[in-house]
PDB file of all heavy atoms in Angstrom:
ATOM      1  N   HIS A 159     -27.584  18.608  20.904  1.00 87.00           N
ATOM      2  CA  HIS A 159     -27.473  17.199  21.319  1.00 87.00           C
ATOM      3  C   HIS A 159     -26.032  16.839  21.102  1.00 87.00           C
ATOM      4  O   HIS A 159     -25.464  17.014  20.042  1.00 87.00           O
ATOM      5  CB  HIS A 159     -28.381  16.339  20.467  1.00 87.00           C
ATOM      6  CG  HIS A 159     -28.382  14.905  20.950  1.00 87.00           C
ATOM      7  ND1 HIS A 159     -27.753  13.986  20.306  1.00 87.00           N
ATOM      8  CD2 HIS A 159     -28.973  14.322  21.954  1.00 87.00           C
ATOM      9  CE1 HIS A 159     -27.906  12.784  20.852  1.00 87.00           C
ATOM     10  NE2 HIS A 159     -28.689  13.062  21.926  1.00 87.00           N
ATOM     11  N   ASP A 160     -25.386  16.325  22.172  1.00 79.00           N
ATOM     12  CA  ASP A 160     -23.911  15.979  22.082  1.00 79.00           C
ATOM     13  C   ASP A 160     -23.703  14.643  21.381  1.00 79.00           C
ATOM     14  O   ASP A 160     -22.599  14.321  21.050  1.00 79.00           O
ATOM     15  CB  ASP A 160     -23.382  15.952  23.470  1.00 79.00           C
ATOM     16  CG  ASP A 160     -22.852  17.298  23.898  1.00 79.00           C
ATOM     17  OD1 ASP A 160     -22.886  18.247  23.116  1.00 79.00           O
ATOM     18  OD2 ASP A 160     -22.353  17.444  25.100  1.00 79.00           O
ATOM     19  N   GLY A 161     -24.768  13.903  21.195  1.00 69.00           N
ATOM     20  CA  GLY A 161     -24.544  12.577  20.565  1.00 69.00           C
ATOM     21  C   GLY A 161     -23.994  11.537  21.533  1.00 69.00           C
ATOM     22  O   GLY A 161     -23.779  10.445  21.159  1.00 69.00           O
ATOM     23  N   SER A 162     -23.643  12.007  22.763  1.00 61.00           N
ATOM     24  CA  SER A 162     -23.152  11.048  23.667  1.00 61.00           C
ATOM     25  C   SER A 162     -24.148  10.948  24.836  1.00 61.00           C
ATOM     26  O   SER A 162     -25.128  11.663  24.980  1.00 61.00           O
ATOM     27  CB  SER A 162     -21.808  11.586  24.259  1.00 61.00           C
ATOM     28  OG  SER A 162     -21.956  12.850  24.950  1.00 61.00           O
ATOM     29  N   SER A 163     -23.900  10.027  25.773  1.00 60.00           N
ATOM     30  CA  SER A 163     -24.688   9.878  26.906  1.00 60.00           C
ATOM     31  C   SER A 163     -23.826   9.599  28.132  1.00 60.00           C
ATOM     32  O   SER A 163     -22.773   8.911  28.019  1.00 60.00           O
ATOM     33  CB  SER A 163     -25.760   8.759  26.734  1.00 60.00           C
ATOM     34  OG  SER A 163     -25.153   7.571  26.432  1.00 60.00           O
ATOM     35  N   VAL A 164     -24.395   9.999  29.284  1.00 57.00           N
ATOM     36  CA  VAL A 164     -23.669   9.738  30.523  1.00 57.00           C
ATOM     37  C   VAL A 164     -23.697   8.285  30.824  1.00 57.00           C
ATOM     38  O   VAL A 164     -22.722   7.721  31.235  1.00 57.00           O
ATOM     39  CB  VAL A 164     -24.286  10.579  31.650  1.00 57.00           C
ATOM     40  CG1 VAL A 164     -23.669  10.231  32.985  1.00 57.00           C
ATOM     41  CG2 VAL A 164     -24.229  12.104  31.354  1.00 57.00           C
ATOM     42  N   ASP A 165     -24.832   7.731  30.637  1.00 59.00           N
ATOM     43  CA  ASP A 165     -24.954   6.257  30.680  1.00 59.00           C
ATOM     44  C   ASP A 165     -26.129   5.857  29.725  1.00 59.00           C
ATOM     45  O   ASP A 165     -26.561   6.668  28.966  1.00 59.00           O
ATOM     46  CB  ASP A 165     -25.277   5.784  32.135  1.00 59.00           C
ATOM     47  CG  ASP A 165     -26.516   6.494  32.734  1.00 59.00           C
ATOM     48  OD1 ASP A 165     -27.548   6.550  32.018  1.00 59.00           O
ATOM     49  OD2 ASP A 165     -26.367   6.964  33.875  1.00 59.00           O
ATOM     50  N   LYS A 166     -26.589   4.673  29.771  1.00 62.00           N
ATOM     51  CA  LYS A 166     -27.593   4.215  28.757  1.00 62.00           C
ATOM     52  C   LYS A 166     -28.911   4.902  29.000  1.00 62.00           C
ATOM     53  O   LYS A 166     -29.716   4.968  28.030  1.00 62.00           O
ATOM     54  CB  LYS A 166     -27.737   2.726  28.805  1.00 62.00           C
ATOM     55  CG  LYS A 166     -26.538   2.025  28.262  1.00 62.00           C
ATOM     56  CD  LYS A 166     -26.754   0.538  28.283  1.00 62.00           C
ATOM     57  CE  LYS A 166     -25.537  -0.181  27.753  1.00 62.00           C
ATOM     58  NZ  LYS A 166     -25.651  -1.564  27.554  1.00 62.00           N
ATOM     59  N   GLN A 167     -29.241   5.428  30.132  1.00 72.00           N
ATOM     60  CA  GLN A 167     -30.487   6.102  30.431  1.00 72.00           C
ATOM     61  C   GLN A 167     -30.506   7.598  30.295  1.00 72.00           C
ATOM     62  O   GLN A 167     -31.496   8.197  30.298  1.00 72.00           O
ATOM     63  CB  GLN A 167     -31.020   5.706  31.859  1.00 72.00           C
ATOM     64  CG  GLN A 167     -31.854   4.479  31.919  1.00 72.00           C
ATOM     65  CD  GLN A 167     -31.142   3.184  31.558  1.00 72.00           C
ATOM     66  OE1 GLN A 167     -30.000   3.055  31.932  1.00 72.00           O
ATOM     67  NE2 GLN A 167     -31.823   2.323  30.983  1.00 72.00           N
ATOM     68  N   THR A 168     -29.306   8.210  30.386  1.00 85.00           N
ATOM     69  CA  THR A 168     -29.171   9.637  30.446  1.00 85.00           C
ATOM     70  C   THR A 168     -28.681  10.221  29.095  1.00 85.00           C
ATOM     71  O   THR A 168     -27.620   9.799  28.569  1.00 85.00           O
ATOM     72  CB  THR A 168     -28.225  10.040  31.573  1.00 85.00           C
ATOM     73  OG1 THR A 168     -28.706   9.456  32.774  1.00 85.00           O
ATOM     74  CG2 THR A 168     -28.219  11.546  31.754  1.00 85.00           C
ATOM     75  N   ILE A 169     -29.366  11.207  28.584  1.00 90.00           N
ATOM     76  CA  ILE A 169     -29.034  11.847  27.269  1.00 90.00           C
ATOM     77  C   ILE A 169     -28.341  13.163  27.544  1.00 90.00           C
ATOM     78  O   ILE A 169     -28.826  13.962  28.354  1.00 90.00           O
ATOM     79  CB  ILE A 169     -30.264  11.952  26.381  1.00 90.00           C
ATOM     80  CG1 ILE A 169     -30.972  10.604  26.266  1.00 90.00           C
ATOM     81  CG2 ILE A 169     -29.950  12.513  25.074  1.00 90.00           C
ATOM     82  CD1 ILE A 169     -32.418  10.742  25.904  1.00 90.00           C
ATOM     83  N   GLN A 170     -27.324  13.365  26.797  1.00 92.00           N
ATOM     84  CA  GLN A 170     -26.434  14.558  27.041  1.00 92.00           C
ATOM     85  C   GLN A 170     -26.762  15.673  25.974  1.00 92.00           C
ATOM     86  O   GLN A 170     -26.815  15.464  24.786  1.00 92.00           O
ATOM     87  CB  GLN A 170     -24.965  14.120  26.817  1.00 92.00           C
ATOM     88  CG  GLN A 170     -23.983  15.160  27.333  1.00 92.00           C
ATOM     89  CD  GLN A 170     -23.687  15.073  28.780  1.00 92.00           C
ATOM     90  OE1 GLN A 170     -23.867  14.092  29.374  1.00 92.00           O
ATOM     91  NE2 GLN A 170     -23.309  16.226  29.352  1.00 92.00           N
ATOM     92  N   TYR A 171     -26.962  16.906  26.472  1.00 94.00           N
ATOM     93  CA  TYR A 171     -27.077  18.041  25.725  1.00 94.00           C
ATOM     94  C   TYR A 171     -26.165  19.189  26.221  1.00 94.00           C
ATOM     95  O   TYR A 171     -25.627  19.069  27.303  1.00 94.00           O
ATOM     96  CB  TYR A 171     -28.571  18.600  25.697  1.00 94.00           C
ATOM     97  CG  TYR A 171     -29.557  17.600  25.204  1.00 94.00           C
ATOM     98  CD1 TYR A 171     -30.220  16.713  25.978  1.00 94.00           C
ATOM     99  CD2 TYR A 171     -29.926  17.638  23.805  1.00 94.00           C
ATOM    100  CE1 TYR A 171     -31.106  15.795  25.522  1.00 94.00           C
ATOM    101  CE2 TYR A 171     -30.841  16.670  23.383  1.00 94.00           C
ATOM    102  CZ  TYR A 171     -31.387  15.804  24.158  1.00 94.00           C
ATOM    103  OH  TYR A 171     -32.312  14.877  23.696  1.00 94.00           O
ATOM    104  N   ARG A 172     -26.048  20.258  25.454  1.00 94.00           N
ATOM    105  CA  ARG A 172     -25.357  21.409  26.036  1.00 94.00           C
ATOM    106  C   ARG A 172     -26.047  22.702  25.618  1.00 94.00           C
ATOM    107  O   ARG A 172     -26.729  22.751  24.541  1.00 94.00           O
ATOM    108  CB  ARG A 172     -23.885  21.464  25.587  1.00 94.00           C
ATOM    109  CG  ARG A 172     -23.631  21.679  24.147  1.00 94.00           C
ATOM    110  CD  ARG A 172     -22.143  21.613  23.750  1.00 94.00           C
ATOM    111  NE  ARG A 172     -21.964  21.284  22.376  1.00 94.00           N
ATOM    112  CZ  ARG A 172     -22.244  22.212  21.379  1.00 94.00           C
ATOM    113  NH1 ARG A 172     -22.711  23.363  21.649  1.00 94.00           N
ATOM    114  NH2 ARG A 172     -22.104  21.801  20.178  1.00 94.00           N
TER     115      ARG A 172
END
Side-chain angles (χ1 to χ4, degrees):
H159 185 256
D160 273 355
S162 62
S163 58
V164 176
D165 56 45
K166 291 184 180 184
Q167 267 69 35
T168 305
I169 306 160
Q170 191 86 26
Y171 297 89
R172 68 182 157 73

